[in-house]
Amino acid sequence: MKLTLTSTANETPTIRTLTFRDASGGALPGYAAGAHVTFDLGVLGTRSYSLVGWHGDASAPEAYTFGIQCEAGGQGGSKAMHALSVGDEVEATAPKNDFALNTAAPALLIAGGIGITPLITMAGQLKSEGRAFQIHYTARSRPIAAFLDRLNDSFGDSFHAHFDDEAMFDLARVIAGRSDGAHLYVCGPRGMIEAARETAEAAGMAPDEIHFELFATPTRREGDTAFEVEINTGQVFTIPPDKTIIEVLEAEGLDLTYDCQRGDCGICRTTVISGVPDHRDVVLSADEKMGGHVMQICVGRARSERLVLDISPRQDRRTAPATPRQAAPAAPALPAQITRATMGRYTGNPQAVRALFNGGQVHRDVYIDREIFDLEMKHLWSNTWIFVGHDSQTPNKGDYITTQVGNQPVIMVRHTDGEVYVLYNRCPHKGTKIAIDREGNTGKFFRCPYHAWSFKTDGCLLAIPLRRGYDGTTLDDTPNGQGLTPVGAVKNYRGFVFARLAPEGIGFEDFFGGSLSSFDNMVDRSPEGRLQVAGPPLRYINNCNWKMLVENQTDTCHPMVAHESSAGTAVRLYEEMGNPEPRPPAMEIIAPFMSPYEFMEGMGIRTWPNGHGHTGVNMSIHSDYSAIPGYFEAMSKTYGADGAKAILDENRHNTVYFPSIMIKGPIQQLRNFIPLGPDKTLIESWIYRLVGAPNELLARTAMYNRMINASTSMVGHDDAEMYERAQEGLHTQGLDWVDLNRLYSGAETYDEERVENGTTERQMRNQFDAWVKFMTVSMEPAAPVEAAQ
Amino acid sequence: MSATPDQIIDFLYAEARMLDEALYADWLDLWLPDGHYWMPLDFKQTDPHLVTSFLYEDFFMLKLRIERLNGARTFSQKPKSRCLHVLNRPFIDDADDAAGRYKTVTAMHYLETRLDDQMLLGVTATHDLAVVDGAIRIANKRVDLLNCDAAFPNIQLLP
């Protein structure tokens, strides 16, 4: 039937009384207390409101009156009702009653907030019939409670109001004080109904003495019917009245992405190819709802018999672009005056940067100068390939780790396509780090904890709550509207994941070249050709520049000096014990650090272009480890005896992958150098299991890690002492240059692979050659006028 | 051979005092020769072998550590570090008087200082004690750092 709005009255700032008469002037159907009318609000769906009658008998009402609260966070139904003007016509059903009064028993009526409306009608009827009742009305505060005066006037001593900001409502006492045989009627929010039901049952009331009506917009509604959903494969599913689209499709094995399941997060937004959706969410804008081309399938249903939805059996679909995102374009150059204001000696001055390395010596500014450090992060650590993590740290879809590339916080995550992505760890909204734990599983998407912006695990923006608030704004035209920004490039080399921050630059293979043979040897040492991370890394802080650590990896003239206190003492203790066999583990791990200069010279050093190099070409301090039973046999099975021998005869000591890591192939250890400042470096020391090899190998690796690299390591203590003393010493003004001249011929070039005497400092020079190259490759020279000054 | 709770608790306080006063030879004498001093890296770590620990030191390593602290070319100990253990009253979690075996759990503050730096660690020490020839000895000792997953500077003495 059609109803015409004939009058309105504001009861409180948010509650309005609406009175309707029959549009054609005819008689309205009668109703009993507790009844409601359902309005058809078009694309917003239907809404039901309780009839309010103060005088009892409503068998032949002249009008229908409703008390409607405008729900600010609602789905738009109450707002649409409030927007009606006197004279407007709306489609509505005849009254229906799911909340009827028992015909004889006394009544205890309890209302929460706007849930008072059906109870007014009940109280009116009970009063007119002279039956016993009490009506309790609870609200957050007096000013927002509608109908207070009229309730007092109408029901006198039977009426009791309770306000949360004045005194606690004692539900148990009210229920305990009910009349004998009274039935309980409760209308209000879900929490209140649940509490009242529990209390009533605890007080011994029978289920058929307890009546309630939920005052909320149910996503499942009376009158819902089954409909069909067809997806991209042509499969058709029937959605029964009591199930959502997501529930049915998931039960059929489809992989869907969703979160709130109440229509307010926006994540399950789905394209509608054909059919008419019945929107029940609060996320889509009015235009989107009217357009009918998208819907939220967690709550939405159909107004047509079938919906054809853009859903593939796998996840990659929806509103996100089909191809992986490109890194955001570089920010536009700063205006000239700002550039000048922030520019020191080296910014925009590649000539001055080049002058810091003269072949045999390097200027102390590279270790202590803040401006140089900032330029390193901006240029060197952005233009080169930096270690991120091992893919066994994120074996399953949604697994992620947080770490840094240079000084940039990033997330490494396994996407639904099985690939590992590296994303800047920063919400494009306010900058909040999206993930903060060092590892975890995020499911199918990241959700920012601040405002619930959500992102697929390849970074693409998935949803923003109240997305319509950005309609017509510039958000979509900016990188912020695209999602989490990916790094410039990612490469997974045999399980080791590297990133280049810069969108353009040298390729992975060009950058590392022949040095990848050290990774190959480390991974080939697994009979299955596969490594697996073993436990958390050692993490330690050295108060020194990151380059001191990197240089020390191929410094073969320090162990017998700096480590005499540990390695030398070990050798002496062992001799005092009479050289017993088997050797204590410390003798195998620590004692080789006392190897003499001749041994170090014979080890050899190999360098590759772009700053990479390794010690231990011919043999190394890792050569004399005892054989582990069963290992060679397992290796021979995979590679043949000759192949296995060739792999195991390589005993490379330390391989530097400039600038960020060092690996030890023979013991499957990786040290990650994370620069925190010119004088502060975080080191992570990781170990890996050789998949398919005996556990004894991993036990030795774990032992090496703790004996040499822990913050508690006797060997590490002296290294840290040297770095930190050097960091302090380099602040002296007496001398500007650090010497790297050992075995320098004066005519070196670094664009070819070379093997030299094991005590050369060529690898350190090689690193600074690469340092200059990647510091200056993207550095724009300043304006000619300034360069001339 | 059994020990009373007071004897056990006195022993634990005395052990801490030996470390604080750098009486390392006396401290080493408390150990049974096949014991291990274990400081796990991971929170609630169960395996000392196949993942990294800070320390899993046998008698040789402990002796080496102590010898090194006294060495002439131990550069990171010029000047020497000092430490202080501040103990809560130990819990005796398991007591087998017949076998003379006891397990104790002791919460403590561990302070270590050198030059201008001082570090404070929250530490829980778990001792396996054995009464041998009438004397309480350390069969094994496990030391858990409250912030085991933090990045540390040098920790040079024994928490």
Side-chain angles (χ1 to χ4, degrees):
Chain A
M1 63 180 171
K2 265 196 163 35
L3 297 177
T4 304
L5 181 63
T6 56
S7 70
T8 69
N10 291 334
E11 305 293 342
T12 73
T14 60
I15 297 172
R16 182 176 293 184
T17 296
L18 303 181
T19 303
F20 295 86
R21 291 176 194 271
D22 184 80
S24 57
L28 290 168
Y31 66 88
H36 65 265
V37 165
T38 301
F39 291 87
D40 186 345
L41 301 178
V43 291
L44 293 172
T46 58
R47 294 294 184 281
S48 301
Y49 297 101
S50 294
L51 285 151
V52 179
W54 293 86
H55 304 297
D57 182 23
S59 56
E62 282 181 18
Y64 289 158
T65 299
F66 306 89
I68 296 175
Q69 176 166 276
C70 188
E71 307 282 352
Q75 301 172 27
S78 59
K79 225 178 271 180
M81 292 299 288
H82 273 225
L84 291 174
S85 304
V86 171
D88 285 352
E89 287 186 4
V90 276
E91 190 64 42
T93 63
K96 190 165 180 306
N97 200 339
D98 299 325
F99 192 39
L101 271 175
N102 177 284
T103 47
L108 174 59
L109 314 175
I110 300 178
I114 192 63
I116 190 68
T117 52
L119 301 190
I120 289 174
T121 317
M122 287 184 175
Q125 186 173 328
L126 289 160
K127 186 183 168 195
S128 72
E129 291 173 6
R131 288 161 58 188
F133 74 97
Q134 299 290 321
I135 176 167
H136 293 265
Y137 181 20
T138 70
R140 279 203 294 278
S141 67
R142 202 173 282 273
I144 65 163
F147 312 117
L148 265 185
D149 292 344
R150 196 156 176 199
L151 283 160
N152 258 323
D153 293 348
S154 300
F155 306 122
D157 290 347
S158 299
F159 175 67
H160 315 273
H162 309 269
F163 302 104
D164 296 351
D165 60 353
E166 294 178 14
M168 268 273 283
F169 175 50
D170 192 343
L171 187 61
R173 223 179 70 178
V174 167
I175 289 176
R178 70 189 184 278
S179 311
D180 281 349
H183 280 216
L184 173 64
Y185 302 84
V186 189
C187 185
R190 184 185 303 276
M192 174 183 208
I193 288 173
E194 281 167 5
R197 189 154 58 163
E198 250 174 56
T199 310
E201 282 172 3
M205 292 184 73
D208 60 2
E209 295 173 334
I210 305 168
H211 313 265
F212 55 89
E213 188 158 80
L214 176 64
F215 213 92
T217 312
T219 52
R220 283 169 200 167
R221 291 184 201 133
E222 190 185 305
D224 280 350
T225 54
F227 60 97
E228 292 176 338
V229 165
E230 181 182 331
I231 66 167
N232 294 352
T233 55
Q235 285 169 283
V236 177
F237 305 92
T238 300
I239 317 296
D242 62 338
K243 291 259 191 302
T244 67
I245 299 175
I246 285 181
E247 285 170 344
V248 171
L249 268 52
E250 260 212 334
E252 296 290 335
L254 269 86
D255 187 17
L256 301 171
T257 301
Y258 57 88
D259 189 24
C260 73
Q261 296 204 69
R262 52 174 195 263
D264 65 14
C265 76
I267 284 174
C268 67
R269 177 188 173 102
T270 300
T271 299
V272 179
I273 295 167
S274 68
V276 183
D278 178 0
H279 299 291
R280 298 186 182 185
D281 62 90
V282 296
V283 179
L284 295 174
S285 67
D287 284 350
E288 285 171 324
K289 284 182 178 172
M290 299 289 269
H293 300 305
V294 288
M295 70 181 295
Q296 303 297 147
I297 57 172
C298 62
V299 290
R301 300 188 69 81
R303 298 172 79 85
S304 55
E305 282 179 10
R306 179 178 288 194
L307 290 174
V308 181
L309 301 179
D310 182 16
I311 295 177
S312 302
R314 274 181 47 92
Q315 182 52 44
D316 307 294
R317 49 176 194 91
R318 307 255 169 87
T319 53
T323 48
R325 294 186 43 231
Q326 298 300 307
L334 290 169
Q337 66 273 22
I338 296 177
T339 311
R340 266 199 302 276
T342 56
M343 195 168 75
R345 280 169 297 169
Y346 299 112
T347 305
N349 193 349
Q351 222 169 339
V353 172
R354 276 186 208 104
L356 292 170
F357 174 55
N358 66 20
Q361 294 192 324
V362 64
H363 193 278
R364 66 190 177 110
D365 274 4
V366 307
Y367 301 101
I368 63 172
D369 188 87
R370 178 81 218 187
E371 186 189 355
I372 286 289
F373 178 83
D374 292 340
L375 290 171
E376 284 179 338
M377 296 304 109
K378 186 177 172 192
H379 297 287
L380 174 70
W381 285 72
S382 297
N383 293 327
T384 54
W385 287 85
I386 308 297
F387 174 73
V388 183
H390 191 264
D391 73 358
S392 65
Q393 293 172 257
T394 57
N396 303 309
K397 290 173 186 177
D399 285 349
Y400 67 87
I401 60 163
T402 60
T403 180
Q404 282 183 209
V405 171
N407 63 352
Q408 299 294 299
V410 297
I411 303 172
M412 177 178 114
V413 58
R414 180 85 59 172
H415 184 49
T416 46
D417 62 2
E419 295 299 313
V420 170
Y421 285 70
V422 181
L423 310 165
Y424 286 98
N425 190 358
R426 179 240 200 252
C427 182
H429 183 207
K430 299 286 191 198
T432 316
K433 276 185 169 178
I434 290 294
I436 194 115
D437 26 6
R438 296 195 180 122
E439 59 180 31
N441 184 292
T442 193
K444 291 170 187 158
F445 56 90
F446 288 106
R447 182 176 184 273
C448 180
Y450 199 177
H451 301 95
W453 287 31
S454 56
F455 312 92
K456 294 171 69 174
T457 44
D458 62 359
C460 292
L461 181 69
L462 191 55
I464 299 175
L466 289 176
R467 184 79 164 88
R468 58 187 182 236
Y470 295 95
D471 286 353
T473 71
T474 58
L475 176 66
D476 285 344
D477 306 329
T478 64
N480 305 58
Q482 306 306 303
L484 298 174
T485 306
V487 299
V490 177
K491 171 76 182 181
N492 181 345
Y493 186 79
R494 303 197 69 178
F496 291 86
V497 178
F498 288 80
R500 189 191 64 218
L501 295 178
E504 306 289 333
I506 189 167
F508 180 84
E509 272 81 12
D510 284 348
F511 181 64
F512 285 123
S515 71
L516 292 171
S517 54
S518 286
F519 264 120
D520 289 337
N521 181 257
M522 180 159 80
V523 180
D524 288 346
R525 284 168 175 263
S526 153
E528 296 181 18
R530 199 156 56 85
L531 302 187
Q532 206 171 42
V533 72
L538 288 163
R539 302 175 71 247
Y540 50 104
I541 298 263
N542 285 165
N543 291 318
C544 69
N545 188 271
W546 63 272
K547 293 186 293 298
M548 291 186 181
L549 283 141
V550 179
E551 284 164 41
N552 193 58
Q553 305 311 310
T554 57
D555 182 323
T556 53
C557 290
H558 86 281
M560 65 293 284
V561 182
H563 301 306
E564 183 187 335
S565 68
S566 47
T569 306
V571 171
R572 179 173 58 77
L573 274 182
Y574 183 62
E575 281 170 6
E576 285 171 11
M577 290 164 67
N579 303 324
E581 290 290 338
R583 293 181 297 175
M587 287 306 294
E588 191 162 299
I589 301 291
I590 298 179
F593 282 70
M594 276 312 276
S595 303
Y597 290 114
E598 299 72 43
F599 178 88
M600 299 296 184
E601 288 186 310
M603 259 178 38
I605 282 183
R606 176 183 280 123
T607 67
W608 294 281
N610 298 324
H612 318 303
H614 80 98
T615 48
V617 179
N618 308 306
M619 74 290 187
S620 77
I621 62 168
H622 302 309
S623 297
D624 197 25
Y625 291 163
S626 49
I628 304 278
Y631 177 47
F632 188 77
E633 290 75 4
M635 288 290 285
S636 300
K637 222 172 186 175
T638 303
Y639 302 103
D642 291 347
K645 191 168 180 315
I647 291 166
L648 300 178
D649 278 354
E650 278 283 349
N651 275 298
R652 297 184 183 186
H653 172 224
N654 292 346
T655 301
V656 170
Y657 289 93
F658 186 73
S660 71
I661 57 167
M662 181 280 286
I663 68 165
K664 284 177 173 290
I667 56 165
Q668 303 83 52
Q669 187 199 45
L670 180 150
R671 243 172 276 165
N672 188 16
F673 307 109
I674 302 175
L676 302 181
D679 56 358
K680 198 170 184 185
T681 307
L682 168 66
I683 304 96
E684 292 179 341
S685 191
W686 295 89
I687 58 169
Y688 304 93
R689 170 196 295 274
L690 296 170
V691 179
N695 273 346
E696 287 90 331
L697 283 142
L698 180 57
R700 180 158 65 201
T701 294
M703 185 189 312
Y704 188 97
N705 209 26
R706 68 171 181 263
M707 281 189 182
I708 307 301
N709 295 107
S711 305
T712 42
S713 158
M714 294 177 255
V715 178
H717 288 161
D718 286 314
D719 281 325
E721 180 73 11
M722 297 311 131
Y723 307 145
E724 293 179 0
R725 286 195 195 192
Q727 190 70 29
E728 292 179 22
L730 285 175
H731 281 85
T732 57
Q733 298 172 26
L735 206 53
D736 275 336
W737 295 84
V738 173
D739 194 81
L740 307 171
N741 267 306
R742 171 172 284 281
L743 297 177
Y744 178 48
S745 69
E748 278 181 349
T749 55
Y750 305 98
D751 52 6
E752 55 172 358
E753 178 180 328
R754 275 186 73 86
V755 174
E756 294 196 355
N757 179 302
T759 60
T760 182
E761 288 173 341
R762 176 184 163 90
Q763 169 56 16
M764 300 176 203
R765 297 188 290 271
N766 184 34
Q767 285 166 194
F768 277 105
D769 179 70
W771 184 90
V772 168
K773 175 176 170 183
F774 292 103
M775 280 289 274
T776 55
V777 66
S778 54
M779 194 179 280
E780 296 293 329
V785 176
E786 289 173 342
Q789 284 172 347
Chain B
M1 302 289 272
S2 62
T4 66
D6 272 355
Q7 287 172 323
I8 291 167
I9 291 167
D10 286 348
F11 174 87
L12 293 168
Y13 275 86
E15 185 222 349
R17 187 172 175 183
M18 288 175 196
L19 291 171
D20 292 347
E21 295 181 1
L23 303 172
Y24 296 121
D26 295 346
W27 180 76
L28 207 56
D29 283 343
L30 302 179
W31 282 79
L32 293 177
D34 53 355
H36 282 87
Y37 183 115
W38 183 23
M39 191 192 292
L41 171 62
D42 207 358
F43 183 63
K44 295 189 173 171
Q45 185 172 330
T46 55
D47 175 15
H49 300 295
L50 299 183
V51 290
T52 307
S53 299
F54 288 107
L55 299 170
Y56 187 69
E57 310 246 306
D58 58 13
F59 195 78
F60 183 87
M61 279 294 282
L62 288 176
K63 193 165 168 55
L64 169 57
R65 187 170 285 276
I66 280 154
E67 292 279 326
R68 175 182 172 275
L69 288 175
N70 295 324
R73 288 182 178 168
T74 304
F75 306 112
S76 75
Q77 283 296 290
K78 289 177 178 297
K80 285 189 184 302
S81 304
R82 296 187 294 270
C83 72
L84 183 66
H85 295 73
V86 184
L87 277 65
N88 257 11
R89 187 175 188 275
F91 293 97
I92 302 173
D93 277 7
D94 292 315
D96 182 346
D97 284 333
R101 304 288 297 204
Y102 302 90
K103 186 192 259 319
T104 65
V105 176
T106 312
M108 58 182 99
H109 283 174
Y110 173 76
L111 295 96
E112 184 177 303
T113 185
R114 180 172 175 255
L115 294 168
D116 287 332
D117 296 320
Q118 178 167 289
M119 155 169 51
L120 170 63
L121 299 174
V123 164
T124 303
T126 304
H127 286 77
D128 287 328
L129 301 175
V131 181
V132 177
D133 298 332
I136 301 174
R137 307 283 294 275
I138 301 171
N140 280 301
K141 179 176 179 179
R142 170 180 173 140
V143 174
D144 285 280
L145 302 184
L146 181 65
N147 61 339
C148 57
D149 47 3
F152 290 99
N154 278 352
I155 302 171
Q156 297 211 48
L157 303 181
L158 287 163

